[in-house]
């Protein structure tokens, strides 16, 4: 890095962050007491019992921090390690660990930024009410003072309570995080208030003890409509403006206004607020930690089902931004960070800002002792540019902490999602600095970003690594069969090692751009004509808005399929959208072999380099099953379509997982995607289990047959949920999981446009949404 285009201000703090339960392990050592996560995590899959074993390997980890050039390290103190019961006697062994860690950091020239609470509440306090109890706030203040008494002579910056919205909503509202409670909106707001009260009392205790810099890290997200993602200045219709205001109040201003203005936004419940609370909560702070990952995308939709993660919000549809997403499914919108920082500086002038968390999960692979995570490097580069642009506009942002230092226990995601710039092999505990970490080291060394953005591996790079020609690489990544197995293996090894994402350069090397995109419509018995119409209209409009022509090609007969493959092979189109399709459809392979960029609607039956857009079928299956449980039913059967289809298998997996978690016995009947088959399957269910109380069908078409058979049998007491939200479902009063055809179509189009522009593209998985109608109401 010889020159920088964007130099950061002198003294800008470069850091990385972690939290105790995610990395420390040693959950039963040296007097540590149990936390709410110690009981919750094992019951839901993975556990942080070992995690990254940082408790024993902290010296190795600090050495890696020094190697990266970090100026600061944000870590959290585990409350149950310091005070096992959350009150009373302190655990000297636990305090000794943080003593050693702090000294090790200072010896390496790294400033410790201490977060006092990152979601690991002592179990003893949870047993007494947890954050639903006001007393927990006072216990936190005692704990904060105790930690400062031990570390305050060496720690300058203290952060109180991490992301109270997440703990309140996911932990106490919908039960996705520890302690796993499902509570009404009033309780969730009370939990958030008590955590803010803990913050304020903690500030008072720390200030009285002589703390120099105190702040709070909040998960903050600009609330935008889909139109505003592309154009933040877009004028909103009044209903959308109200939707944005409503969500912003719950997600952001509930916490910002309380801390920085001493009051809650109008309209939020306040029965839990007592005289003097807001004065405590608004104790002056020195720094606001901004945790940003993605914007929150909403639009007004009267009658939309409430999103339980946003208590009190009504008539709002939570949407997708239709841009490239991370492995978490979070949209990548770097300008959302600069927009957020500008909003904060404008609304709350005079407050120093630090980006306390920013990073992304991607699928990482270790090859030859290295991790070529180009997507993460590009993510960090783009977001740091957004920070620098905000600083240039006068925003007082003084530092940036990448999340996270290392791969770790990612809460409800277990070890399936990796955010680190250091890879951790959880079997061997071997640490490997990823390419993104090496890139970040250079950014820190130069206090700025390079003139050019990070270059992704090119066709030429792969060819050189594999020792073959560009044309051979093109043939391999596009699935041609003319390459020997040995050469194919060498090319694919280079592709994986370099994390190469094929783009326009990997197309047929003689094909020229036509500015035309083919929308290939195959037939599918699971989708109705309305869904196809929405697909054609929505995706077509998005393609045309980008200045390209669209050609509609039908794949309903073998003759048409052969003709369209020839059309694409002849270079008449620049890209292909294939939708809908059967996951095992050989048409995918035939189009894949044309070397023309393609995006699929629906997950293919085989692993490939072709990105796809799909609904979270497993999540939808679990959502439908849990809804039936919430109506009081326990004998829940599933009527399932053909098992060779990937979406059906995923829906079945979601059903089975939900039944397993509830300790219930699954009961399955398989048929075809027709109403007749659904009715026949339901008759078999009634014969085998006359006491059945509810049915989840893997498609609406089958569910309509299920309803017919139940009416014939006089069984109006059996609740039914389908999947797809076909037009006939609404007329039949069928509860169902929406496939969000419009959102999928827009995402499909925008992924293809990104591919045509040579940008990295990952498959997109859209969240499922439940629509409750008469068929499943208790």
């Amino acid at each position: 890095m010889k020159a920088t285009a964007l130099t950061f201000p002198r003294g800008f703090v470069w850091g990385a962050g972690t939290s105790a339960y995610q990395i420390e392990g040693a959950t039963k050592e040296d007097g540590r007491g149990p936390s709410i996560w110690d009981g919750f995590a094992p019951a839901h899959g993975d556990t942080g019992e070992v995690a990254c074993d940082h408790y024993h390997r902290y010296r190795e980890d600090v050495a890696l921090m020094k190697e990266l050039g970090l100026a600061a390290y944000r870590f959290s103190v585990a409350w149950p390690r310091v005070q096992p019961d959350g009150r009373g006697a302190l655990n000297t062994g636990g305090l000794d660990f943080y003593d050693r860690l702090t000294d090790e950091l200072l010896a390496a020239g790294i400033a410790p930024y201490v977060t006092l609470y990152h979601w690991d509440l002592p179990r003893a306090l949870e047993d007494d009410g947890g954050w639903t109890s006001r007393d927990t706030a006072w216990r936190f203040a005692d704990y904060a003072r105790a930690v400062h008494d031990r570390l305050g002579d060496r720690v300058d910056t203290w952060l109180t309570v991490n992301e109270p919205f997440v703990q309140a909503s996911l932990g106490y509202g919908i039960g996705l995080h520890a302690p796993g409670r499902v509570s009404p909106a009033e309780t969730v707001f009370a939990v958030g208030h008590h955590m803010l009260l803990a913050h304020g009392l903690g500030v008072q205790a720390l200030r009285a003890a002589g703390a120099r810099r105190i702040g709070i890290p909040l998960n903050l997200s600009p609330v935008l409509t889909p139109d505003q993602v592309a154009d933040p200045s877009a004028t909103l219709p009044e209903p959308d403006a109200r939707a944005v205001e409503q969500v912003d109040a719950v997600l952001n201003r509930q916490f910002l206004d309380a801390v920085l203005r001493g009051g809650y936004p109008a309209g939020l419940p306040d029965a839990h607020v007592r005289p003097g609370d807001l004065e405590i909560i608004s104790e002056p702070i020195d720094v606001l930690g901004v945790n940003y990952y993605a914007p929150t995308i909403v639009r007004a939709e009267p009658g939309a089902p409430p999103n339980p993660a946003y208590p009190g919000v009504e008539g709002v549809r939570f949407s997708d931004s239709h841009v490239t997403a991370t492995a978490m499914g979070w949209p990548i919108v770097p300008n959302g960070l600069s927009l957020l920082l500008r909003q904060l500086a404008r609304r709350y002038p005079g407050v120093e800002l630090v980006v306390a968390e920013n990073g992304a999960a991607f699928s990482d692979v270790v090859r030859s002792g290295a991790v070529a995570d180009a997507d993460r490097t590009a993510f960090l580069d783009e977001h740091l540019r957004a920070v620098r642009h905000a600083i240039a506009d006068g925003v007082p942002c003084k530092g940036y902490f990448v999340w996270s230092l290392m791969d770790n226990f990612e809460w409800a995601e277990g070890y399936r999602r990796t955010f680190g710039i250091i890879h951790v092999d959880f079997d061997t505990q071997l640490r490997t600095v990823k390419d993104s970490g090496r890139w970040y080291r250079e950014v820190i060394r130069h206090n700025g970003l390079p003139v050019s953005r990070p270059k992704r591996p090119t066709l030429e790079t792969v060819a050189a690594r594999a020792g073959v020609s560009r044309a051979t690489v093109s043939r391999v990544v596009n699935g041609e069969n003319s390459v020997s197995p040995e050469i194919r293996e060498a090319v694919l090894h280079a592709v994986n090692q370099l994390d190469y994402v094929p783009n326009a350069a990997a197309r047929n090397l003689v094909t020229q751009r036509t500015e035309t995109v083919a929308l290939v419509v195959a037939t599918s018995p699971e989708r109705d004509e309305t869904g196809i119409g929405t697909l054609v209209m929505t995706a077509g409009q998005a393609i045309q808005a980008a200045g390209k022509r669209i050609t509609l090609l039908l794949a309903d007969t073998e003759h048409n399929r052969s003709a369209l493959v020839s059309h694409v092979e002849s270079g008449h189109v620049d890209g292909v959208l294939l939708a809908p399709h059967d996951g095992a459809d050989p048409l995918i392979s035939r189009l894949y072999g044309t070397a023309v960029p393609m995006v699929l609607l629906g997950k293919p039956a085989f692993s490939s380099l072709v990105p796809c857009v799909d609904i979270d079928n497993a999540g939808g299956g679990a959502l439908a099953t849990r809804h039936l449980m919430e109506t009081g039913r326990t004998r829940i059967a599933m009527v399932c379509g053909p098992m060779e289809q990937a979406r059906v298998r995923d829906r079945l997996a979601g059903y089975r997982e939900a039944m397993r978690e509830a300790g219930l016995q699954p009961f399955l009947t398989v048929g075809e995607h027709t109403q007749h088959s659904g009715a026949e399957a339901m008759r078999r269910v009634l014969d085998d289990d006359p006491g059945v109380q509810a049915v989840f069908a893997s498609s609406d078409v089958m569910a309509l047959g299920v309803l017919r058979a139940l009416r014939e049998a006089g069984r109006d007491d059996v609740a039914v949920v389908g999947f797809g939200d076909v037009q006939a479902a609404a007329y039949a009063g069928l509860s169902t999981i929406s496939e969000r055809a419009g959102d999928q179509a827009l995402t499909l189009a925008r992924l293809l446009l990104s591919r045509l522009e040579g940008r990295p593209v990952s498959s997109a998985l859209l969240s499922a949404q439940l629509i409750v109608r008469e068929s499943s109401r208790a």
Side-chain angles (χ1 to χ4, degrees):
M1 188 185 295
K2 297 180 180 179
T4 56
L6 291 176
T7 300
F8 283 72
R10 188 172 184 175
F12 189 82
V13 177
W14 296 100
T18 63
S19 83
Y21 189 76
Q22 292 183 275
I23 68 165
E24 284 182 0
T27 58
K28 300 175 183 177
E29 295 186 35
D30 296 337
R32 180 188 180 276
S35 79
I36 53 176
W37 276 95
D38 291 306
F40 179 87
H44 292 77
D46 295 317
T47 173
E49 187 171 347
V50 176
C52 305
D53 196 28
H54 175 72
Y55 189 78
H56 300 110
R57 299 170 183 266
Y58 70 92
R59 290 188 177 88
E60 174 187 352
D61 294 335
V62 172
L64 287 170
M65 297 178 213
K66 184 176 182 179
E67 178 185 328
L68 292 174
L70 298 185
Y73 172 52
R74 179 192 165 204
F75 64 93
S76 77
V77 173
W79 191 345
R81 194 178 293 284
V82 168
Q83 204 172 28
D85 293 326
R87 57 167 62 85
L90 300 177
N91 175 34
T92 302
L95 285 168
D96 288 347
F97 167 71
Y98 296 109
D99 242 345
R100 296 193 298 270
L101 174 60
T102 299
D103 287 344
E104 193 76 15
L105 289 167
L106 293 173
I110 300 169
Y113 277 51
V114 173
T115 304
L116 286 165
Y117 182 73
H118 201 129
W119 307 346
D120 50 355
L121 189 70
R123 181 70 209 185
L125 290 183
E126 177 61 25
D127 292 341
D128 290 338
W131 288 111
T132 67
S133 168
R134 289 175 60 87
D135 184 66
T136 301
W138 269 266
R139 302 291 70 76
F140 174 80
D142 295 340
Y143 154 70
R145 177 63 184 260
V147 177
H148 185 275
D149 285 348
R150 178 63 78 93
L151 304 180
D153 60 330
R154 287 155 291 161
V155 175
D156 286 333
T157 303
W158 297 83
L159 302 174
T160 55
V161 178
N162 184 75
E163 297 185 351
F165 174 84
V166 176
Q167 175 92 93
S169 175
L170 301 191
Y172 287 83
I174 64 175
L176 183 63
H177 281 189
R181 295 207 213 178
V182 178
S183 311
E186 293 77 9
T187 301
V188 177
F189 283 113
V191 167
H193 177 71
H194 294 158
M195 295 184 76
L196 287 177
L197 186 61
H199 156 76
L201 292 167
V203 172
Q204 290 180 343
L206 291 168
R207 195 78 72 192
R212 288 177 281 276
R213 274 170 43 92
I214 308 171
I216 182 172
L218 300 175
N219 58 294
L220 300 172
S221 173
V223 183
L224 308 171
T225 65
D227 289 340
Q228 287 180 309
V229 174
D231 179 12
S233 65
T235 302
L236 298 182
E238 182 59 30
D240 281 349
R242 286 196 300 269
V244 168
E245 176 75 11
Q246 189 180 168
V247 175
D248 186 52
V250 171
L251 174 60
N252 297 317
R253 292 189 292 110
Q254 174 184 183
F255 303 95
L256 289 166
D257 286 4
V259 171
L260 299 174
R261 292 180 175 172
Y264 284 118
L268 296 188
D270 59 2
H272 46 271
V273 181
R274 296 184 185 178
D277 282 1
L278 289 168
E279 287 76 12
I280 295 173
I281 291 171
S282 58
E283 283 282 337
I285 61 174
D286 305 291
V287 60
L288 175 66
V290 179
N291 296 0
Y292 172 82
Y293 292 95
T296 300
I297 315 299
V298 303
R299 62 178 186 270
E301 185 174 307
N307 186 327
Y310 295 83
V313 172
E314 297 179 350
V316 175
R317 174 71 72 179
F318 287 78
S319 183
D320 294 279
S321 62
H322 317 299
V323 298
T324 304
T326 69
M328 295 288 290
W330 299 344
I332 301 174
V333 185
N335 68 349
L337 178 53
S338 54
L339 175 64
L340 173 63
L341 293 172
R342 292 187 188 101
Q343 285 179 345
L344 292 170
R346 184 176 67 253
R347 293 178 180 177
Y348 310 97
V351 179
E352 178 183 316
L353 306 176
V354 167
V355 178
E357 288 185 26
N358 178 240
F362 292 103
S363 298
D364 300 319
V365 178
V366 179
R367 300 285 185 184
S368 301
V371 180
D373 57 336
D375 285 333
R376 184 175 290 104
T377 300
F379 179 99
L380 297 176
D381 176 85
E382 290 168 353
H383 284 77
L384 278 171
R385 290 176 191 275
V387 172
R388 185 59 184 85
H389 293 327
I391 292 173
D393 289 339
V395 173
C397 183
K398 304 298 184 181
Y400 176 92
F401 289 73
V402 65
W403 190 271
S404 61
L405 173 70
M406 64 183 77
D407 297 340
N408 54 39
F409 174 80
E410 190 48 46
W411 306 116
E413 298 292 334
Y415 297 97
R416 295 181 295 275
R417 297 289 181 259
T418 53
F419 280 79
I421 58 173
I422 297 175
H423 177 273
V424 177
D425 183 320
F426 295 106
D427 293 326
T428 66
Q429 292 297 332
L430 177 66
R431 273 75 160 145
T432 302
V433 177
K434 301 177 187 178
D435 283 2
S436 60
R438 301 178 192 282
W439 173 88
Y440 191 48
R441 178 178 60 198
E442 291 303 299
V443 170
I444 295 171
R445 189 161 71 91
H446 291 89
N447 195 39
L449 297 163
V451 175
S452 58
R453 296 176 186 245
K455 292 183 179 180
R456 295 189 59 79
T458 64
L459 200 66
E460 290 78 6
T461 309
V462 177
R465 178 67 62 90
V468 299
S469 69
R470 294 171 68 242
T472 298
V473 174
S474 178
R475 286 196 294 272
V476 170
V477 300
N478 286 288
E480 293 185 17
N481 296 322
S482 59
V483 182
S484 70
E486 294 78 13
I487 295 296
R488 180 182 301 278
E489 182 178 358
V491 171
L492 290 177
H493 178 73
V495 165
N496 290 327
Q497 189 178 55
L498 295 169
D499 194 28
Y500 173 64
V501 178
N503 55 27
R507 295 175 52 202
N508 185 311
L509 300 179
V510 299
T511 300
Q512 302 298 314
R513 282 190 178 271
T514 65
E515 301 303 327
T516 301
V517 169
L519 174 54
V520 178
V521 177
T523 57
S524 171
E526 190 180 4
R527 295 179 185 267
D528 67 343
E529 294 179 359
T530 303
I532 295 176
T534 300
L535 165 72
V536 172
M537 182 172 63
T538 306
Q541 288 175 345
I543 294 293
Q544 290 174 331
K548 300 186 183 297
R549 295 181 295 273
I550 189 155
T551 299
L552 181 63
L553 300 174
L554 299 179
D556 53 343
T557 67
E558 182 54 38
H559 173 77
N560 284 345
R561 287 175 169 230
S562 297
L564 77 87
V565 171
S566 296
H567 185 80
V568 173
E569 279 181 327
S570 299
H572 295 300
V573 297
D574 295 327
V576 173
L577 298 174
L578 176 58
H581 68 84
D582 182 329
D585 193 335
L587 179 61
I588 299 174
S589 298
R590 294 167 68 182
L591 288 171
Y592 190 33
T594 64
V596 173
M598 178 170 59
V599 180
L600 307 176
L601 179 63
K603 186 170 67 174
F606 55 88
S607 177
S608 76
L609 296 174
V610 180
C612 67
V613 177
D614 205 353
I615 200 75
D616 183 0
N617 288 291
L623 184 63
T625 308
R626 293 185 184 117
H627 166 67
L628 291 170
M629 294 175 187
E630 289 166 2
T631 68
R633 276 88 171 181
T634 57
R635 299 174 74 171
I636 304 169
M638 181 173 179
V639 172
C640 211
M643 299 300 294
E644 63 268 17
Q645 296 186 5
R647 59 180 175 270
V648 174
R649 294 195 300 272
D650 287 347
R651 292 169 193 178
L652 172 60
Y655 160 78
R656 283 178 166 159
E657 177 64 16
M659 294 289 282
R660 183 193 65 78
E661 289 177 354
L664 301 177
Q665 184 64 38
F667 180 67
L668 177 68
T669 300
V670 179
E672 299 295 329
H673 281 307
T674 66
Q675 284 196 40
H676 176 75
S677 180
E680 285 297 315
M682 189 64 236
R683 294 184 188 108
R684 292 198 298 275
V685 170
L686 291 173
D687 288 341
D688 294 337
D689 185 5
V692 66
Q693 298 170 318
V695 175
F696 167 48
S698 66
S699 74
D700 281 353
V701 175
M702 295 190 78
L704 294 172
V706 167
L707 289 175
R708 187 178 73 194
L710 288 171
R711 284 195 299 270
E712 292 171 355
R715 292 296 303 274
D716 293 337
D717 59 310
V718 178
V720 180
V721 177
F723 205 118
D725 196 24
V726 301
Q727 188 176 43
Y731 291 108
L734 175 65
S735 294
T736 185
I737 300 296
S738 171
E739 286 195 302
R740 303 167 59 185
D743 287 348
Q744 289 197 66
L746 273 176
T747 307
L748 193 73
R750 293 180 181 178
L751 286 186
L752 182 62
L753 291 170
S754 293
R755 287 203 73 191
L756 294 179
E757 293 170 5
R759 296 202 299 268
V761 168
S762 300
S763 294
L765 188 68
L766 278 61
S767 59
Q769 294 177 344
L770 174 69
I771 299 175
V772 179
R773 300 190 179 104
E774 290 78 7
S775 72
S776 69
R777 291 196 173 120

